Structure formats: C-alpha cells, structure tokens
Amino acid sequence: MATTEKMTLNMGPQHPSTHGVLRLVLELDGEVITKITPDIGYLHRGVEKLSEHRTYHQTLPLTDRLDYLAPMSNNLGYILTVEKLLGIQVPERAQTIRIIMAEMARLQSHLVWLACHALDIGAMTVFLYCFREREVVMETYELISGARMTSNYFRAGGLSQDVPPEFEKKVRDFVESMPANIDTYEGLLTTNPIWRKRTIGNGVISAEDAIDIGITGPALRGSGVDWDLRRDIPYAGYENYAFEVPVGENCDTYDRYKVRLVEMRESCKIISQALDRLKPGPVLADEPQICYPPKENVYNSIEGLIHHFKIASEGYPVPEGEVYQGVEAPKGELGYYMVSDGSSKPYRMRVRPPSFVNLQAIEKMCLGSMIADLVAVIGTLDIVLGEIDR
Amino acid sequence: MPENNRAVIKLKEKFAASIVEVAEFRGDVTVTVKKEDLLAVLSFLKQSLQYNLLTDVTAVDYLGKKADRFMMVYQLCSIPNKDRLRIKAAVSEGDCRVQSTTQVWATANWLEREVYDLFGISFDNHPDLRRILMTPEWEGHPLRKDYPLQGPDREPYKGRLS
C-alpha cells in the first residue's frame, strides 16, 4: 500500500523570488502548502540601536537603507518625526519638493514591484520596461542629491539644498510620459489570460483579517478598506492636493495589482499639481539652532564656519518628549516613534516598517494553495527585506 | 487638551483606577496604565472605541532613569474615526513579563516577538514566542541600554580618533 508523507522544503534566503534574503520553511502535502514558517533577520543591521548613538542629523542616512527602493519616503517619515519633536515649520518650497520626491519614490517603488512581480509570474517584458522608467527616477535622485539610491536629501527644517534648474523639466517630462507607459504595462498584463489566471483568486485576504493582521498600504486597499494616511491623517501638506484613493473589491492579487497601477497614475497627478505650485523661495527654515548655515557663509566668514562646526559636531538639542509619526510609504504605513531626553541624540528611535507587519499575512494568504502561487503572493505583498530586518 | 480626547474620557470612566498618567505632546495623546490592566484596557479600546488597527508594539528601556526599567508602548489607530492613541505600561526588570495582546490583534504576534528578542520582555499566552531578528542561540537583548553597541565580545567603541 502506498503511503504519503508531508515534505519540508526550504525556500531562500538565496532565492530570486523571495525579493531579498527572506527564508521560508514550507511544509508541503504534494504541491499544496500546509504550513509556512518565515525566518527573517538575515539583513539585521541594528538601525534602532545605532541611532541611539548618533545625533539626529547622523541618523538620517540610516533611514535611506531601510526601504532602499524608496529612500525619500523613509527620509520624509524620519524628518517629519524630528520636526514634530522640534516643533518647527518648513518653508513652502521645501514642502512642495518633499511631496514631489515622496511621490517619485512611490512611483519608483511601484515600478520595481511591478517589474519583479511580473517577472516572478513569467512576464519578462514588463520587467525591462519598468526598469527603464525607474532609471529616470534614479537620475532625478542623482540630480538633486548626488546619489542614485541613498539620497539623504531632507533636513530638519527643509532640504539640504535647492533643486537645480533642470529639475522641473525633467520631472514634468517624466510625469507626462508616465500615463502612456502605464497603459503599456496594462496592455501587457491587465487582459493577459495567463496573468489573470495567475492572479485572480490568488492570495485572498478579507478586509477584517487584513485589519486584524495590521496590513497597511496598497495591500489593505486591495482588500477593500478605504484607508490612506495621506488623505485620512494628512502630513507634510498632503491635505492641499487632490487625488483619488483606489480601492479593490475581491481582496486578491489581481485587485492589489490594479490598486497599485491606479496609485501610480494618482502619484503623477500629485506631482503635476506640486510642480504647478513650485515657487522660488527658501528651502530651509530660519532656525539657526537647527539648520546648517548657507555654504557661502561657511567658506567666507569665521562665524559661519563655527556655526557649521557646532551643528556638525554637537548636533542640535531636541526638546524632551515622545512622538509618533506615520507616513503612507509605498508599501504601507511607515511609522517612527521617537523618544527624546533633551539631548542631541535620540533616546529611542523605533521604526515601524510596513513590510514587517504585512509579511505576517503570508501564511494566511497561502495556506492550501500551490507552491507556485506563493511566489505570486510574495510579489503582491511587495516586501523589502532592508526594512523588515532593519 | 488630552482631557477632551474621546478615548481618555471613556477610559477615565471605566478604568479610573488603572490610569497612571495622561499626557499630550505635539498632538499625540498618551495614556499610561497599570500593567495588570493593560490587556483589559486594550481590548476595551478595540471593542468599544473602534481602535481596530494596532499600528505598533514596542518598548523603551529607561535604565537608571525610572523606577520600572521598561515601558511597553502600543500605538493604536482607529480607521473609522481617523485618530490615534498611544497606550503605555511600565514593566519592572524583576517581573519582566506582560500579557500578550495576540488574542486581541493578530498583528501583535511578530511585534511582540521582536520586543522579546531585542528587549527580553516576555509575553504570557503568546502562541509562538521565539526570537525573530537575532539567531535562536543569540545571548542578550541588543536594544537594552546596557548592551554594548559593538556587541558583547568586542572592545567598546571609543569614538573617532581624528
């Protein structure tokens, strides 16, 4: 008589479809998944511990390395938290540029998501198209901050420097070309029978379960929950922009795909509105205690040099207190909880990464489905391990 | 004013004896409660006041600063009411354990594992309390203030020489 037994299969951490160093221990009954035990922490760098030993200014570059597919979003969340502790306002131009860059980060992150998600399921062409467009975002990063990925561009009180004159045209050209590009991706996927077969009814999670597990971002909206921090608990001036929040119905991978595509179109609209409002003006608040002096003062006067040196070596004192600030990062709610003891270093800096919480849902979404569907679910959750492991 | 917060009003009615402190800073309302009543307070907030999303669970180590060394921090969010609330509870080093909130929100599972891993606070009735970011055989809890930045077996960092 034939007997059957369950098989344990190791997937990752070096597996191209796990989007980084995610390891999953799968228990399989034939091809059907009966248990998933995620194993994370391979990329743990101790960002929270490190930040306790650095000034607020020195901690900022660490945040680039969390969700390295959308560094500006991480910068924004961190800087808003510090500014909330400090209680300072930023000039309008700086705020507008921040919104442009945060939405560019969303486009960048969603492009990488679409590229890898489609590649995992077998659509190679989309991958190449998406990376072509992502390159423009990277060039914009380089144009304004000097780095393609680790931007480190925002400062408490504004920006590290103003954008160069060619910035506006570059971003506007990009945003104007994007709707047609998104049409191209949709043309390749939305009605593609293979794509539909692989994604419709895959990775279903109900709205109640999604909220219970704490999923946020496009994955939550794909399950039909109308919740977007940019609109519902606005920050950084998002309340002044008009945009739609797409919501799915069937709670499956296909709906999450559609939600993210609409989000990309909405991001383009937000960027266009922001570009229309971009007026010349200062990009750093008039807060000499906190903000670096202009470079010409540093080079040409001893007072400017001392001023620069003092902020660089000692940092700036931050009032005692604790705040939490959440932003709608491309992958969900990115939150920073910061406790200050009045010194120039954070007493405690906690990063609430969206991917970490969203990844918890993987077992619920995959139990009873085939192992090939797991790859689609990892793609649709849109995780990034730099942020999960910190 | 924190007194006008909808959750604070209800909590003061129902859990007057458990509230240690109510504070507001930069618009964030924080309610500190006694550890014994933490689970009851959190379930009440979810069931009766629609704080349906548990955004974050973390801890802070106040070594040498406060009588009770650790502080558990829960960030709650209400999707229907679009507001946030922070609940805290002090945990002493001698009795370093809290009731798990996994029964109230499934979210708490990994978040509490992380607190257990990095702070060494243990959670009663947690379904799967294992380390999550560090390796299983790791010794010590890195986010404690007495854990050296460079790790346990290395020379402490003395600052840049330049």
Short mmCIF file of all heavy atoms in Angstrom, two decimals, chain A residues 17-69:
data_model
loop_
_atom_site.label_atom_id
_atom_site.label_comp_id
_atom_site.label_asym_id
_atom_site.label_seq_id
_atom_site.Cartn_x
_atom_site.Cartn_y
_atom_site.Cartn_z
N SER A 17 13.03 34.71 -6.09
CA SER A 17 11.65 35.16 -5.94
C SER A 17 11.30 35.59 -4.53
O SER A 17 10.17 35.94 -4.26
CB SER A 17 10.70 34.05 -6.37
OG SER A 17 10.80 33.87 -7.75
N THR A 18 12.25 35.54 -3.61
CA THR A 18 11.92 35.99 -2.27
C THR A 18 12.30 37.47 -2.05
O THR A 18 12.25 37.96 -0.93
CB THR A 18 12.58 35.12 -1.19
OG1 THR A 18 13.98 35.13 -1.41
CG2 THR A 18 12.06 33.71 -1.24
N HIS A 19 12.69 38.15 -3.13
CA HIS A 19 12.92 39.59 -3.10
C HIS A 19 13.88 40.02 -2.00
O HIS A 19 13.60 40.92 -1.23
CB HIS A 19 11.59 40.34 -2.92
CG HIS A 19 10.68 40.16 -4.07
ND1 HIS A 19 9.76 41.09 -4.45
CD2 HIS A 19 10.53 39.15 -4.95
CE1 HIS A 19 9.10 40.67 -5.50
NE2 HIS A 19 9.56 39.48 -5.82
N GLY A 20 14.99 39.35 -1.90
CA GLY A 20 15.94 39.69 -0.87
C GLY A 20 16.31 38.45 -0.11
O GLY A 20 16.36 37.36 -0.67
N VAL A 21 16.56 38.60 1.18
CA VAL A 21 17.02 37.45 1.95
C VAL A 21 15.93 36.92 2.87
O VAL A 21 16.12 36.77 4.06
CB VAL A 21 18.30 37.78 2.75
CG1 VAL A 21 19.49 37.78 1.85
CG2 VAL A 21 18.17 39.13 3.42
N LEU A 22 14.79 36.65 2.30
CA LEU A 22 13.70 36.04 3.07
C LEU A 22 13.84 34.53 2.98
O LEU A 22 14.07 33.98 1.91
CB LEU A 22 12.37 36.48 2.47
CG LEU A 22 11.11 35.76 2.98
CD1 LEU A 22 10.86 36.09 4.43
CD2 LEU A 22 9.90 36.15 2.16
N ARG A 23 13.70 33.87 4.12
CA ARG A 23 13.73 32.41 4.11
C ARG A 23 12.38 31.91 4.58
O ARG A 23 11.87 32.38 5.60
CB ARG A 23 14.84 31.88 5.02
CG ARG A 23 14.83 30.38 5.14
CD ARG A 23 16.10 29.88 5.83
NE ARG A 23 15.98 28.45 6.09
CZ ARG A 23 15.91 27.92 7.30
NH1 ARG A 23 15.96 28.70 8.37
NH2 ARG A 23 15.79 26.62 7.45
N LEU A 24 11.81 30.98 3.83
CA LEU A 24 10.54 30.38 4.21
C LEU A 24 10.75 28.89 4.35
O LEU A 24 11.32 28.27 3.46
CB LEU A 24 9.48 30.65 3.14
CG LEU A 24 9.12 32.11 2.87
CD1 LEU A 24 8.27 32.20 1.62
CD2 LEU A 24 8.41 32.73 4.03
N VAL A 25 10.31 28.33 5.45
CA VAL A 25 10.32 26.88 5.61
C VAL A 25 8.90 26.41 5.33
O VAL A 25 7.97 26.76 6.06
CB VAL A 25 10.78 26.48 7.02
CG1 VAL A 25 10.82 24.98 7.15
CG2 VAL A 25 12.14 27.08 7.33
N LEU A 26 8.76 25.66 4.26
CA LEU A 26 7.43 25.26 3.82
C LEU A 26 7.18 23.80 4.17
O LEU A 26 8.06 22.96 4.05
CB LEU A 26 7.30 25.41 2.30
CG LEU A 26 7.70 26.75 1.70
CD1 LEU A 26 7.64 26.66 0.19
CD2 LEU A 26 6.80 27.83 2.20
N GLU A 27 5.97 23.55 4.61
CA GLU A 27 5.55 22.16 4.80
C GLU A 27 4.55 21.86 3.69
O GLU A 27 3.55 22.58 3.54
CB GLU A 27 4.89 22.00 6.17
CG GLU A 27 4.72 20.56 6.58
CD GLU A 27 3.91 20.46 7.86
OE1 GLU A 27 2.67 20.48 7.77
OE2 GLU A 27 4.52 20.40 8.94
N LEU A 28 4.85 20.84 2.90
CA LEU A 28 4.07 20.60 1.69
C LEU A 28 3.40 19.24 1.74
O LEU A 28 3.98 18.25 2.20
CB LEU A 28 4.97 20.65 0.45
CG LEU A 28 5.72 21.95 0.20
CD1 LEU A 28 6.69 21.75 -0.94
CD2 LEU A 28 4.76 23.06 -0.11
N ASP A 29 2.18 19.24 1.24
CA ASP A 29 1.48 17.98 1.01
C ASP A 29 1.37 17.87 -0.50
O ASP A 29 0.47 18.44 -1.11
CB ASP A 29 0.10 18.04 1.69
CG ASP A 29 -0.67 16.75 1.49
OD1 ASP A 29 -0.09 15.80 0.96
OD2 ASP A 29 -1.86 16.72 1.86
N GLY A 30 2.32 17.18 -1.12
CA GLY A 30 2.40 17.22 -2.57
C GLY A 30 2.84 18.62 -2.98
O GLY A 30 3.90 19.08 -2.57
N GLU A 31 1.99 19.31 -3.73
CA GLU A 31 2.32 20.68 -4.12
C GLU A 31 1.57 21.70 -3.29
O GLU A 31 1.68 22.91 -3.52
CB GLU A 31 1.98 20.87 -5.61
CG GLU A 31 3.20 21.21 -6.44
CD GLU A 31 2.82 21.63 -7.85
OE1 GLU A 31 2.22 20.81 -8.57
OE2 GLU A 31 3.10 22.77 -8.20
N VAL A 32 0.76 21.22 -2.35
CA VAL A 32 -0.09 22.13 -1.58
C VAL A 32 0.62 22.52 -0.29
O VAL A 32 1.17 21.68 0.42
CB VAL A 32 -1.45 21.45 -1.29
CG1 VAL A 32 -2.30 22.35 -0.41
CG2 VAL A 32 -2.16 21.14 -2.58
N ILE A 33 0.57 23.82 0.01
CA ILE A 33 1.26 24.32 1.20
C ILE A 33 0.38 24.07 2.43
O ILE A 33 -0.79 24.46 2.46
CB ILE A 33 1.54 25.82 1.05
CG1 ILE A 33 2.46 26.05 -0.14
CG2 ILE A 33 2.16 26.40 2.30
CD1 ILE A 33 2.53 27.49 -0.59
N THR A 34 0.93 23.45 3.45
CA THR A 34 0.16 23.23 4.67
C THR A 34 0.68 24.07 5.83
O THR A 34 0.00 24.24 6.83
CB THR A 34 0.17 21.75 5.08
OG1 THR A 34 1.52 21.31 5.14
CG2 THR A 34 -0.59 20.90 4.08
N LYS A 35 1.89 24.57 5.72
CA LYS A 35 2.43 25.41 6.80
C LYS A 35 3.57 26.25 6.25
O LYS A 35 4.35 25.77 5.42
CB LYS A 35 2.93 24.52 7.93
CG LYS A 35 3.26 25.27 9.18
CD LYS A 35 3.55 24.33 10.34
CE LYS A 35 3.86 25.13 11.58
NZ LYS A 35 5.07 24.78 12.23
N ILE A 36 3.64 27.49 6.71
CA ILE A 36 4.76 28.36 6.31
C ILE A 36 5.39 28.93 7.58
O ILE A 36 4.69 29.48 8.42
CB ILE A 36 4.29 29.54 5.44
CG1 ILE A 36 3.58 29.03 4.19
CG2 ILE A 36 5.46 30.42 5.05
CD1 ILE A 36 3.07 30.14 3.30
N THR A 37 6.68 28.76 7.71
CA THR A 37 7.39 29.38 8.83
C THR A 37 8.40 30.36 8.27
O THR A 37 9.46 29.95 7.82
CB THR A 37 8.10 28.32 9.69
OG1 THR A 37 7.19 27.24 9.91
CG2 THR A 37 8.56 28.89 11.00
N PRO A 38 8.09 31.65 8.26
CA PRO A 38 9.08 32.61 7.76
C PRO A 38 10.24 32.75 8.74
O PRO A 38 10.06 32.68 9.95
CB PRO A 38 8.29 33.92 7.66
CG PRO A 38 6.85 33.53 7.77
CD PRO A 38 6.82 32.31 8.60
N ASP A 39 11.42 32.93 8.19
CA ASP A 39 12.62 33.12 9.00
C ASP A 39 13.27 34.40 8.49
O ASP A 39 13.75 34.45 7.36
CB ASP A 39 13.54 31.91 8.82
CG ASP A 39 14.79 32.03 9.66
OD1 ASP A 39 14.85 32.94 10.50
OD2 ASP A 39 15.71 31.21 9.48
N ILE A 40 13.27 35.43 9.32
CA ILE A 40 13.81 36.71 8.88
C ILE A 40 14.97 37.12 9.78
O ILE A 40 15.27 36.44 10.76
CB ILE A 40 12.72 37.81 8.85
CG1 ILE A 40 12.10 37.98 10.23
CG2 ILE A 40 11.66 37.49 7.82
CD1 ILE A 40 11.12 39.13 10.31
N GLY A 41 15.58 38.22 9.44
CA GLY A 41 16.67 38.75 10.26
C GLY A 41 18.04 38.64 9.60
O GLY A 41 19.04 39.04 10.19
N TYR A 42 18.09 38.14 8.38
CA TYR A 42 19.39 37.99 7.71
C TYR A 42 20.03 39.33 7.38
O TYR A 42 21.23 39.40 7.13
CB TYR A 42 19.22 37.17 6.43
CG TYR A 42 18.94 35.71 6.67
CD1 TYR A 42 17.65 35.24 6.81
CD2 TYR A 42 19.99 34.81 6.79
CE1 TYR A 42 17.39 33.91 7.05
CE2 TYR A 42 19.75 33.47 7.03
CZ TYR A 42 18.44 33.03 7.16
OH TYR A 42 18.20 31.71 7.42
N LEU A 43 19.23 40.37 7.33
CA LEU A 43 19.76 41.69 6.96
C LEU A 43 19.72 42.65 8.15
O LEU A 43 19.72 43.85 7.99
CB LEU A 43 18.90 42.24 5.81
CG LEU A 43 19.59 43.13 4.78
CD1 LEU A 43 20.73 42.39 4.12
CD2 LEU A 43 18.59 43.55 3.72
N HIS A 44 19.66 42.09 9.36
CA HIS A 44 19.54 42.94 10.54
C HIS A 44 20.84 43.70 10.78
O HIS A 44 21.89 43.11 10.95
CB HIS A 44 19.21 42.09 11.77
CG HIS A 44 19.00 42.88 13.01
ND1 HIS A 44 18.06 43.88 13.09
CD2 HIS A 44 19.60 42.85 14.21
CE1 HIS A 44 18.10 44.42 14.30
NE2 HIS A 44 19.03 43.81 14.99
N ARG A 45 20.73 45.04 10.77
CA ARG A 45 21.92 45.86 10.96
C ARG A 45 21.83 46.68 12.23
O ARG A 45 22.72 47.46 12.53
CB ARG A 45 22.10 46.80 9.76
CG ARG A 45 22.39 46.06 8.49
CD ARG A 45 21.84 46.79 7.29
NE ARG A 45 20.40 46.82 7.32
CZ ARG A 45 19.65 47.48 6.45
NH1 ARG A 45 20.20 48.17 5.49
NH2 ARG A 45 18.34 47.46 6.53
N GLY A 46 20.73 46.54 12.95
CA GLY A 46 20.61 47.25 14.22
C GLY A 46 20.45 48.75 14.05
O GLY A 46 21.06 49.53 14.78
N VAL A 47 19.62 49.16 13.11
CA VAL A 47 19.44 50.59 12.86
C VAL A 47 18.93 51.31 14.11
O VAL A 47 19.37 52.41 14.43
CB VAL A 47 18.47 50.79 11.67
CG1 VAL A 47 17.99 52.22 11.59
CG2 VAL A 47 19.14 50.39 10.37
N GLU A 48 18.02 50.66 14.84
CA GLU A 48 17.45 51.32 16.02
C GLU A 48 18.51 51.51 17.10
O GLU A 48 18.56 52.54 17.76
CB GLU A 48 16.26 50.52 16.55
CG GLU A 48 15.08 50.57 15.60
CD GLU A 48 13.92 49.68 16.02
OE1 GLU A 48 13.85 49.27 17.19
OE2 GLU A 48 13.08 49.38 15.15
N LYS A 49 19.35 50.51 17.27
CA LYS A 49 20.44 50.61 18.26
C LYS A 49 21.45 51.66 17.84
O LYS A 49 21.89 52.49 18.64
CB LYS A 49 21.11 49.23 18.40
CG LYS A 49 22.23 49.17 19.41
CD LYS A 49 21.71 48.98 20.80
CE LYS A 49 22.84 48.83 21.82
NZ LYS A 49 22.30 48.83 23.19
N LEU A 50 21.84 51.61 16.56
CA LEU A 50 22.83 52.57 16.06
C LEU A 50 22.38 54.01 16.25
O LEU A 50 23.17 54.88 16.61
CB LEU A 50 23.06 52.32 14.56
CG LEU A 50 23.96 51.16 14.17
CD1 LEU A 50 23.85 50.90 12.69
CD2 LEU A 50 25.39 51.47 14.54
N SER A 51 21.07 54.24 16.02
CA SER A 51 20.60 55.62 16.06
C SER A 51 20.67 56.20 17.47
O SER A 51 20.74 57.41 17.62
CB SER A 51 19.17 55.70 15.52
OG SER A 51 18.32 54.96 16.35
N GLU A 52 20.68 55.33 18.48
CA GLU A 52 20.78 55.85 19.85
C GLU A 52 22.18 56.41 20.12
O GLU A 52 22.39 57.07 21.13
CB GLU A 52 20.47 54.73 20.86
CG GLU A 52 19.01 54.34 20.86
CD GLU A 52 18.72 53.11 21.70
OE1 GLU A 52 19.62 52.66 22.44
OE2 GLU A 52 17.59 52.60 21.60
N HIS A 53 23.12 56.10 19.25
CA HIS A 53 24.49 56.56 19.45
C HIS A 53 24.89 57.62 18.44
O HIS A 53 26.07 57.91 18.28
CB HIS A 53 25.44 55.37 19.37
CG HIS A 53 25.22 54.39 20.47
ND1 HIS A 53 25.99 54.33 21.59
CD2 HIS A 53 24.26 53.45 20.63
CE1 HIS A 53 25.52 53.39 22.40
NE2 HIS A 53 24.48 52.83 21.84
N ARG A 54 23.92 58.15 17.70
CA ARG A 54 24.22 59.16 16.69
C ARG A 54 23.31 60.37 16.90
O ARG A 54 22.23 60.22 17.45
CB ARG A 54 23.96 58.59 15.29
CG ARG A 54 25.11 57.78 14.78
CD ARG A 54 24.68 56.85 13.68
NE ARG A 54 25.83 56.24 13.07
CZ ARG A 54 26.60 55.35 13.68
NH1 ARG A 54 26.33 54.95 14.90
NH2 ARG A 54 27.65 54.84 13.08
N THR A 55 23.76 61.52 16.39
CA THR A 55 22.88 62.68 16.50
C THR A 55 21.71 62.51 15.53
O THR A 55 21.74 61.65 14.64
CB THR A 55 23.63 63.98 16.16
OG1 THR A 55 24.04 63.91 14.80
CG2 THR A 55 24.85 64.18 17.04
N TYR A 56 20.71 63.36 15.70
CA TYR A 56 19.54 63.28 14.82
C TYR A 56 19.95 63.44 13.36
O TYR A 56 19.40 62.79 12.48
CB TYR A 56 18.52 64.36 15.20
CG TYR A 56 17.80 64.03 16.49
CD1 TYR A 56 18.29 64.47 17.71
CD2 TYR A 56 16.65 63.27 16.49
CE1 TYR A 56 17.66 64.16 18.89
CE2 TYR A 56 16.00 62.94 17.66
CZ TYR A 56 16.51 63.40 18.85
OH TYR A 56 15.88 63.06 20.02
N HIS A 57 20.93 64.30 13.15
CA HIS A 57 21.39 64.53 11.78
C HIS A 57 22.10 63.30 11.23
O HIS A 57 21.93 62.93 10.07
CB HIS A 57 22.31 65.75 11.79
CG HIS A 57 22.81 66.14 10.44
ND1 HIS A 57 21.96 66.59 9.47
CD2 HIS A 57 24.05 66.10 9.88
CE1 HIS A 57 22.68 66.83 8.37
NE2 HIS A 57 23.94 66.54 8.60
N GLN A 58 22.88 62.65 12.07
CA GLN A 58 23.64 61.48 11.61
C GLN A 58 22.77 60.24 11.43
O GLN A 58 23.18 59.29 10.78
CB GLN A 58 24.76 61.16 12.62
CG GLN A 58 25.87 62.19 12.63
CD GLN A 58 26.78 62.02 13.83
OE1 GLN A 58 26.38 61.51 14.86
NE2 GLN A 58 28.02 62.45 13.68
N THR A 59 21.59 60.25 12.04
CA THR A 59 20.71 59.10 11.91
C THR A 59 20.00 59.07 10.57
O THR A 59 19.64 58.01 10.08
CB THR A 59 19.67 59.12 13.06
OG1 THR A 59 20.38 59.16 14.30
CG2 THR A 59 18.79 57.90 13.04
N LEU A 60 19.84 60.25 9.97
CA LEU A 60 19.09 60.33 8.72
C LEU A 60 19.62 59.37 7.63
O LEU A 60 18.82 58.67 7.01
CB LEU A 60 19.07 61.78 8.22
CG LEU A 60 18.35 62.02 6.90
CD1 LEU A 60 16.87 61.74 7.03
CD2 LEU A 60 18.57 63.43 6.42
N PRO A 61 20.94 59.30 7.39
CA PRO A 61 21.40 58.38 6.33
C PRO A 61 21.04 56.92 6.60
O PRO A 61 20.93 56.14 5.67
CB PRO A 61 22.91 58.57 6.31
CG PRO A 61 23.17 59.84 7.00
CD PRO A 61 22.06 60.08 7.93
N LEU A 62 20.88 56.56 7.87
CA LEU A 62 20.50 55.17 8.16
C LEU A 62 19.12 54.85 7.59
O LEU A 62 18.83 53.72 7.22
CB LEU A 62 20.49 54.91 9.67
CG LEU A 62 21.80 55.09 10.43
CD1 LEU A 62 21.57 54.84 11.91
CD2 LEU A 62 22.86 54.15 9.93
N THR A 63 18.26 55.87 7.56
CA THR A 63 16.89 55.61 7.10
C THR A 63 16.83 55.35 5.60
O THR A 63 15.91 54.69 5.13
CB THR A 63 15.95 56.78 7.46
OG1 THR A 63 16.38 57.94 6.76
CG2 THR A 63 15.94 57.05 8.93
N ASP A 64 17.81 55.86 4.84
CA ASP A 64 17.85 55.55 3.40
C ASP A 64 17.90 54.05 3.17
O ASP A 64 17.45 53.55 2.16
CB ASP A 64 19.12 56.10 2.75
CG ASP A 64 19.17 57.59 2.76
OD1 ASP A 64 18.11 58.20 2.72
OD2 ASP A 64 20.29 58.13 2.81
N ARG A 65 18.54 53.38 4.10
CA ARG A 65 18.85 51.96 3.91
C ARG A 65 17.77 51.04 4.44
O ARG A 65 17.97 49.84 4.52
CB ARG A 65 20.19 51.63 4.58
CG ARG A 65 21.37 52.11 3.76
CD ARG A 65 22.24 53.07 4.55
NE ARG A 65 23.42 53.47 3.79
CZ ARG A 65 23.66 54.71 3.40
NH1 ARG A 65 22.79 55.67 3.67
NH2 ARG A 65 24.75 55.01 2.74
N LEU A 66 16.64 51.60 4.85
CA LEU A 66 15.53 50.74 5.29
C LEU A 66 14.83 50.18 4.06
O LEU A 66 15.12 49.09 3.61
CB LEU A 66 14.57 51.53 6.18
CG LEU A 66 15.18 52.02 7.49
CD1 LEU A 66 14.24 52.99 8.17
CD2 LEU A 66 15.45 50.86 8.41
N ASP A 67 13.91 50.97 3.52
CA ASP A 67 13.30 50.57 2.26
C ASP A 67 14.12 51.20 1.16
O ASP A 67 13.86 52.32 0.74
CB ASP A 67 11.85 51.04 2.22
CG ASP A 67 11.20 50.74 0.88
OD1 ASP A 67 11.88 50.15 0.03
OD2 ASP A 67 10.03 51.10 0.70
N TYR A 68 15.13 50.48 0.69
CA TYR A 68 16.06 51.08 -0.26
C TYR A 68 15.45 51.23 -1.66
O TYR A 68 16.09 51.71 -2.57
CB TYR A 68 17.37 50.29 -0.33
CG TYR A 68 17.17 48.80 -0.33
CD1 TYR A 68 16.75 48.15 -1.48
CD2 TYR A 68 17.37 48.04 0.82
CE1 TYR A 68 16.53 46.79 -1.48
CE2 TYR A 68 17.15 46.68 0.82
CZ TYR A 68 16.73 46.06 -0.34
OH TYR A 68 16.51 44.71 -0.34
N LEU A 69 14.20 50.81 -1.83
CA LEU A 69 13.54 51.03 -3.12
C LEU A 69 12.78 52.36 -3.12
O LEU A 69 12.28 52.77 -4.15
CB LEU A 69 12.59 49.88 -3.42
CG LEU A 69 13.28 48.52 -3.49
CD1 LEU A 69 12.26 47.43 -3.69
CD2 LEU A 69 14.28 48.49 -4.62
#
